[in-house]
Amino acid sequence: MGRWQRVRSHRGAVLAGGVLLLLALSSVIVPALSPYDYYTPQLQFISLPPTLHGAHLLGTDPLGRDLLIRVLWGIRISLLIGLAASCISVVVGVLWGAIAGYAGGAIDALMMRAVDVLYSVPFVPFVIVLTVLFGHQLWLMFVAIGAVSWLDIARIVRGETLSLKRREFIEAARVSGVRAARMIRTHIVPNLLGVVIIYATLTVPSVILFEAFMSFLGLGVRAPLASLGSLIADGASDMQAHPHLLLVPAVVLATIVYCFNFIGDGLRDALDPHERP
Amino acid sequence: MPRYILRRVLESVPTLLLIVTLAFVLLHLAPGGPFSADKPLLPEIRHSIEARYHLQEPLWRQYLRYLNDLAHGDLGPSFQYRNTSVNQIIATGFPVDLTVGLSAIVVALLVGIPIGLNAAWRRHTWWDRLPMALAVAGISLPVFVIAPLLVLVFAVQLHWLPAGDWVPGSLSHMVLPVLALSLPYIAYVARIVRGSALEVLNTAYIRTARAKGLSTLRILLHHALRPSLAPVVSFLGPTTAGVITISIVVETVFGLPGIGRFFVTGALNRDYTLVLGITILYGTLIILFNLLADLCYAWLDPRVRL
Amino acid sequence: MRLAAPRALAFTATALLVACSHQADPLLGSSAPQITVGTALAGSQAIARTLDDSPRSLDPQLTTDIPSQRVLDDLFEGLVTFSIDGKPSPGAAASWQQSADSKTWVFHLRPDARWSNGAPLTAEDFLYSWRREVDPKTGAGYAQALAPIVNALDIALGRKPPEALGVEANDAHTLTVHLGAATPYLLDLMDQTYLYPVYRPAIERYGDDWVRPGNLVSNGAFMLREDVIGNRITLSANPFYWDAAHVRLRSVIYYTMPDRAQAVLRYLAGDVQFTDSFAASQRPWLKRTLGDQVVNSPWLGIYMLAFNFKLPPFRDNLPLRQALILAIDRAALTQYLKFGMYEPADTLMPPLDGYQQQHPDWAAKTQLERDALARRLYREAGFTAEHPLRVNLSTSVQGADERHYMEAVAAMWHAVLGAEVALDETEFKVLAQNRELRLLPLFFDAWIGDFADPVNFMQLFQSGSAFNYGSYANPRFDALLERVARDPDNGARYRLLEQAEQILNADAAYIPLYYYATRHLIKPYVQGWRSNVMDRNLSRYMYILEHQGR
């Protein structure tokens, strides 16, 4: 595996990062410059298909709102939810799983049983209760989704820690008297990064889709705001008549997911200790 | 090992109890009850219905009553479906989900593992890039997009497969739902396997085997497979439980009489017993599959001590 | 009718018995459609229909949801049934008479009426079933349905025992019904599912399980063969049904399909022949592809927004209410967002034979005129650009189409008036509870008529009515409804109800949006149905023509 290939994959990651940055910046800048907004209906122009020369580049939605602007707002909301919830999940999940896996014994059992319990709690009533207690706030989405997503990461990290624990260099470190907290921070967690990054890049799209499912049930972002997930959910019901309503947000979502994966790959290649020449 | 299993089984009892309690509290915290609806009930009648379902008793007493029934295997009557019990609903619906869900997991493993291993072995070639690119598509296109598309193409246009419904024992009714359900998991499994296989394949141990001239297949199967599977096992543990119970979209699109849809509509309609019953089922499955996953883990990686 | 009845109760049993006389003589015999000689019928007379959700229960007294109603209509039959046009026609009762004051009705059951197990159907069965409906211990879903019957409400409120119900089984085939007040629309009441008879021995023997296949005994055109909850219900023809000779279908399958898009796909694949709904946004495409198979016809129901008369900002602010009503371009909404599926509404009552719709003044103006008037009224109400109206519009989650509609309404109010109305979309139970607690200033409400009489709609605004979520109260309106309850002449009643509706218009009591419509996809080879305002399409009249393809 030559250096060229490594650089190329890094370049892919850089490209992906650039695309994401572009999307994120557009989602803030373009709506400010555009004559259209995301909430004013224009009933004479509903569900127009995309046209290159027309007034609406990507067409309009069922209320006649410019789809490009709606999708850009959707990107903003989805990225926000995706990144925030994933950050929460990863931080909580990694710490939980690493501590449980390293500590072993009763602590491990207790922590993982707690994960089991939280896994089984029905999320729909949970979200309903949150919505009722705090109203339809956006940050609620982060909390609700983050609260559900960290569990998977915790399990995986705990599993990886279990096997890492037995590796020679860990034994060596332990013998030389390194304390548990330091052990976890400097030896375990960096070695987990490979798997964690892969999993984190898988989490972002699943978080966005989870939010779509919640929008489906009326528990997601409040209208007229839209997320990519809710745009896809709305478009899926009208697939045969107006495919662009589904295809545009779906392609955008796929692009974002691709980018996160490329970035994940690049990061893993860079950080993986076995990759260094 | 048997002592470990016994310990886990015993541990599961307080776990399940905690799950039931949390779910119970959560459900009753949500505003509205099962009988506030379109046509308001006359007070005496509402009183009578609520008395029959013990909804007027203080919460702690309802809770204890529920636990008592639970100990006798009775999950209670459904509040939405007044002549049906939760046991009946689960008995009708769960086998469907189990069949489709387990098949989907099996397909995901059978298809995803080889793809992932192959991708890791031939990294950066088309064997790697193409399947991984498709995998990303599989993850990023939601089931509620893929499933109707499958129905549109294979059932409505081509008439090769039925458009939905569930006929026990009929394989043709299973193809599309299993396909739709397994696609994202094939993708997940392939990616995870590729990731961990890459790490394994770069160890000195494997490099030695390659240098010794062992055949590809032998290396993959005998040396790389078992360690690579570890994260897959961790992932699939709880996921399988979820695939089996909460594939509501697949159920709705294909008209499968499973319990996923009942779970969500039950929560939205405050059918306390139905939601609690499915939660318990779900919790039991999670505990079971976690245990199986941990056992698998120990088998895959002999260094792990349970 | 729930609340006027207690005051109008009069127990004049002896007088009634004397006053009984023969009035209009309804037809005997089957109301099944004639099939022209020579029509080729398909070899297999079986149909598959869809339901929007699983029926809550097959117990006629317990359920109020539409999916249950569809199945119950095929399993059971009341004294009165629907003809193919949705009009009352003889069912289990072959004929009936009403007294001169319309307070006593005598129903004559068919001597050959049977249950699906061969047992004879008697007046006792109806007596038992109706007592069961009002008995609080049963926990019936809509005991108010029997309100016109003497003592019905008292029993439901727990004040009298079920035996006190004003119904007698004079002999095995005669049922006498005593009403608290003249009820000219009684026949329309009689064909509601709550009044279907149930088989007592099965209930006593099996308890809650009496509705399972094998236990359930029905008196309608079909019997219950299979019930897989969440999936399907299968019915087969009942050989003991009195009109079995004219029932062509041998089996009916009802599939539960909550996803409308899936229902369309299954219809296209030929799995189902008669669906129960489709999304408005699909209508243009469906019309292009399927043409006449897309059936939309008026359904007696209204979709509206309601004000709360006890809370600000709408309390005591007539101009504000009027402004909001005017500033909505209903025609544009139903054209662009509902694709012509519904008719825009300006009155409470949808079109009904014999009833004059009371169109308010603004109905004749153009939308431009309405918008201008709305702006004036808005300012008169005390709101300006600096101090706009700020209020939540509470709705429940129903789907993308409905959300878009509400968003558009709020946007119109913003564009025309500058009002800031935020859409508060919650899941249904939360809305239902908040509505019941009268907490919401502006909220979504809808009503489908239980039977084809305007009083069923007017009661929504009667003070003290459980359905009056906005706490609207106008003594003149209530007084008119009381007079309606006492009047036996339908013509006179309708005139009074028209006046009552005028009061609602003058008070700007609610915001009408559109009238309901039926939404079916029906294969061209399915015959024996006709669109009707109650959307009751009984399978007993249907038959399948010979056809190629799906």
Side-chain angles (χ1 to χ4, degrees), chain B residues 30-49 52-53 77-85 88-90 92-93 147-149 151-152 155-156 159 161-168 251-258 261-262 265 267-270, chain C residues 2 52-59 62-64 133-144 153 155-158 194 207-212 228-232 255-259 262 265-266 268-269 271 427-430 432-433 435-436 447-448 450 466-467 469 550:
Chain B
F35 301 112
S36 55
D38 280 342
K39 292 193 174 3
L41 296 168
L42 290 176
E44 197 51 41
I45 294 185
R46 161 170 279 160
H47 194 80
S48 160
I49 297 179
R52 177 184 315 173
Y53 294 115
S78 161
F79 292 163
Q80 282 177 90
Y81 304 103
R82 304 227 339 235
N83 292 84
T84 319
S85 72
Q88 278 168 329
I89 296 179
I90 293 184
T92 316
L149 264 173
V151 174
L152 196 60
V156 177
H159 297 300
L161 291 165
D165 199 10
W166 177 254
V167 178
E251 285 174 22
T252 310
V253 172
F254 293 103
L256 304 176
R261 201 173 63 80
F262 284 118
T265 57
L268 294 175
N269 286 318
R270 311 291 189 270
Chain C
R2 217 162 58 76
D52 284 343
D53 202 349
S54 303
R56 295 289 175 89
S57 169
L58 291 182
D59 185 330
L62 290 186
T63 54
T64 60
E133 168 78 8
V134 289
D135 185 350
K137 283 206 283 300
T138 313
Y142 194 36
Q144 296 95 310
L153 275 176
I155 299 170
L157 289 168
Y194 324 107
D208 276 344
D209 278 340
W210 77 269
V211 292
R212 305 235 62 75
V228 183
I229 187 166
N231 181 313
R232 65 162 166 268
Y255 286 105
T256 301
M257 283 192 206
D259 184 41
Q262 207 243 337
L265 287 174
R266 298 279 295 273
L268 292 171
D271 289 349
E427 43 113 12
F428 178 69
K429 283 288 178 176
V430 177
Q433 187 181 52
R435 268 197 325 206
E436 259 180 79
W447 184 257
I448 297 185
D450 299 315
F467 301 101
Y469 299 123
R550 294 158 185 271

Side-chain angles (χ1 to χ4, degrees), chain B residues 121 214-223:
Chain B
W121 185 258
L214 289 177
S215 79
T216 308
L217 200 60
R218 200 187 153 87
I219 295 180
L220 281 178
L221 284 183
H222 282 238
H223 300 287

Side-chain angles (χ1 to χ4, degrees), chain C residues 334-409:
Chain C
T334 48
Q335 182 186 348
Y336 294 114
L337 294 183
K338 296 294 183 184
F339 304 94
M341 197 147 95
Y342 302 114
E343 285 299 307
D346 49 30
T347 65
L348 179 64
M349 268 311 290
L352 181 66
D353 281 342
Y355 183 84
Q356 282 270 43
Q357 281 190 298
Q358 302 300 303
H359 298 285
D361 302 325
W362 54 264
K365 300 195 202 306
T366 67
Q367 191 58 37
L368 279 173
E369 288 170 347
R370 283 182 224 149
D371 287 346
L373 185 54
R375 276 183 217 112
R376 270 202 348 253
L377 288 165
Y378 182 71
R379 275 196 304 275
E380 203 184 298
F383 295 96
T384 60
E386 292 76 44
H387 298 114
L389 171 68
R390 284 203 172 85
V391 72
N392 274 356
L393 169 57
S394 305
T395 68
S396 68
V397 177
Q398 291 168 65
D401 283 350
E402 283 73 16
R403 188 184 334 119
H404 289 148
Y405 191 96
M406 290 302 167
E407 281 186 71
V409 169

